[in-house]
Amino acid sequence: MRALVTGGAGFIGSHLVDALVARGDEVLVLDDLSTGRRDYVNPTAQFRPHDVREPFESRADVVFHLAAQADVGTSMERPSFDAEVNVVGTVNALEAARAAGAHLVFSSTGGAIYGSVEEPAREDSALLPVSAYGLAKRSAEVYLDGWNRIFDTHHVALRFANVYGPRQSAALEGGVVAIFLERLAAGEPTTIFGDGAITRDFVHVDDVVRALLLAAEHDGGVFNVGTGVESTVADLHALCERAVGVDAPPSYGPARAGDALRSVLDTTKASAELGFTATVALAEGIAATAP
Ligand SMILES: NC(=O)c1ccc[n+]([C@@H]2O[C@H](COP(=O)([O-])OP(=O)(O)OC[C@H]3O[C@@H](n4cnc5c(N)ncnc54)[C@H](O)[C@@H]3O)[C@@H](O)[C@H]2O)c1
């Protein structure tokens, strides 16, 4: 299969490219390297520097659209820039797929699109984004759904939980696992914002890649991609300490405005329709990610 991966030099995209190359696919990566790294791109894949805010073409059978401005803080400081990358960039990806007659898989977000939840979010739960990033991803999903209707395509949107694993940047917001592991390994202090009781659904990048590959074979739909397991940030910190082999309790700082208190995804639909269930347990995944 010929695959185009936008954002293929980034954290999740580069793992996806490795998996596609490993199974013998012909892979083209489009990335502007704003947060991605050229050396993360598998040498067997073709690399083309490109900013997805500008239209592009492809001869692919499947387009994985992962390029994004994925930093919530930046989205609030520069919402129009965020919209250009995340909304216009997605329209350009949909148009590239349309011109090539390709299937498209879009990387949306669970954490930022549902907002804080009272119970595991289902795909039909209320969408109440509290950031420009979440709004842009929601808007991009509206385009994807609309393009499916207007052009009779069957593109798929995946709403990822909090993804972690090797190559995640500790410099980017949201990379709490990478931040804890890097700082603990360097003997530097760590801080938890709030009382440590806020929860997230942490899903390993290998599981996310499997979901992306399944979505490439699937006709239409929106699917949560997480574990369905709710972990507190305090528990996560303890797992990171154990993985690094240190006893270094965090300090606690004031809660951050805009941080959802609870975020966890119901993955029943992905399991039933996509055949996807996360398999990497958090302790195991953290141990494999530790430097
Ligand atoms: N990491 C998570 O927990 C998470 C959760 C939900 C959704 N997502 C989504 O998954 C996708 C991948 O995220 P990631 O965590 O790997 O982040 P990342 O920042 O590592 O990857 C994004 C990639 O897109 C590239 N990029 C950014 N702007 C671009 C532009 N204008 N043109 C071309 N390339 C551009 C970057 O250089 C980078 O390589 C994104 O769409 C993100 O919104 C990630």
Side-chain angles (χ1 to χ4, degrees):
M1 199 163 69
R2 283 174 310 199
L4 170 67
V5 182
T6 72
F11 161 48
I12 300 170
S14 64
H15 286 282
L16 171 65
V17 171
D18 286 344
L20 292 167
V21 166
R23 70 177 197 186
D25 286 359
E26 195 184 301
V27 184
L28 170 64
V29 170
L30 289 196
D31 200 300
D32 73 349
L33 299 181
S34 50
T35 57
R37 286 175 44 169
R38 181 69 181 85
D39 60 325
Y40 284 170
V41 179
N42 191 297
T44 306
Q46 200 193 330
F47 177 78
R48 190 187 305 160
H50 184 79
D51 185 334
V52 295
R53 289 178 293 169
E54 297 300 326
F56 50 93
E57 288 179 354
S58 123
R59 292 187 308 117
D61 305 303
V62 59
V63 175
F64 294 94
H65 180 50
L66 279 80
Q69 189 306 108
D71 185 65
V72 170
T74 302
S75 82
M76 297 308 285
E77 285 155 24
R78 303 175 63 198
S80 57
F81 167 70
D82 180 81
E84 279 174 29
V85 178
N86 290 337
V87 184
V88 175
T90 302
V91 174
N92 285 334
L94 286 166
E95 282 297 86
R98 188 161 77 90
H103 182 59
L104 182 139
V105 181
F106 173 58
S107 56
S108 188
T109 165
I113 215 167
Y114 295 115
S116 199
V117 298
E118 296 295 328
E119 54 191 24
R122 293 158 41 105
E123 288 80 354
D124 57 2
S125 295
L127 302 182
L128 301 167
V130 290
S131 65
Y133 168 71
L135 288 167
K137 287 288 187 180
R138 183 180 173 180
S139 308
E141 280 192 15
V142 171
Y143 271 95
L144 183 137
D145 182 52
W147 249 234
N148 277 347
R149 224 171 351 91
I150 298 164
F151 298 112
D152 194 24
T153 49
H154 304 277
H155 303 320
V156 177
L158 300 181
R159 293 179 180 157
F160 301 154
N162 285 62
V163 189
Y164 71 94
R167 298 183 195 152
Q168 183 165 33
S169 167
L172 281 179
E173 206 172 314
V176 62
V177 174
I179 293 166
F180 284 168
L181 288 175
E182 205 168 279
R183 295 188 72 85
L184 288 168
E188 291 170 2
T190 49
T191 303
I192 287 180
F193 300 107
D195 62 4
I198 68 168
T199 63
R200 294 291 180 265
D201 179 341
F202 296 103
V203 62
H204 192 270
V205 67
D206 287 352
D207 280 327
V208 170
V209 166
R210 216 157 32 78
L212 285 159
L213 297 178
L214 287 166
E217 305 294 327
H218 192 82
D219 270 357
V222 178
F223 299 96
N224 286 340
V225 174
T227 63
V229 178
E230 198 172 0
S231 306
T232 69
V233 174
D235 285 345
L236 174 77
H237 195 279
L239 288 175
C240 289
E241 283 179 72
R242 198 180 314 155
V244 174
V246 294
D247 181 11
S251 60
Y252 287 86
R256 289 186 306 189
D259 266 351
L261 293 182
R262 290 181 67 190
S263 178
V264 58
L265 304 183
D266 181 322
T267 56
T268 312
K269 188 181 173 198
S271 166
E273 294 180 29
L274 208 54
F276 168 78
T277 313
T279 58
V280 183
L282 187 56
E284 185 193 316
I286 298 283
T289 306

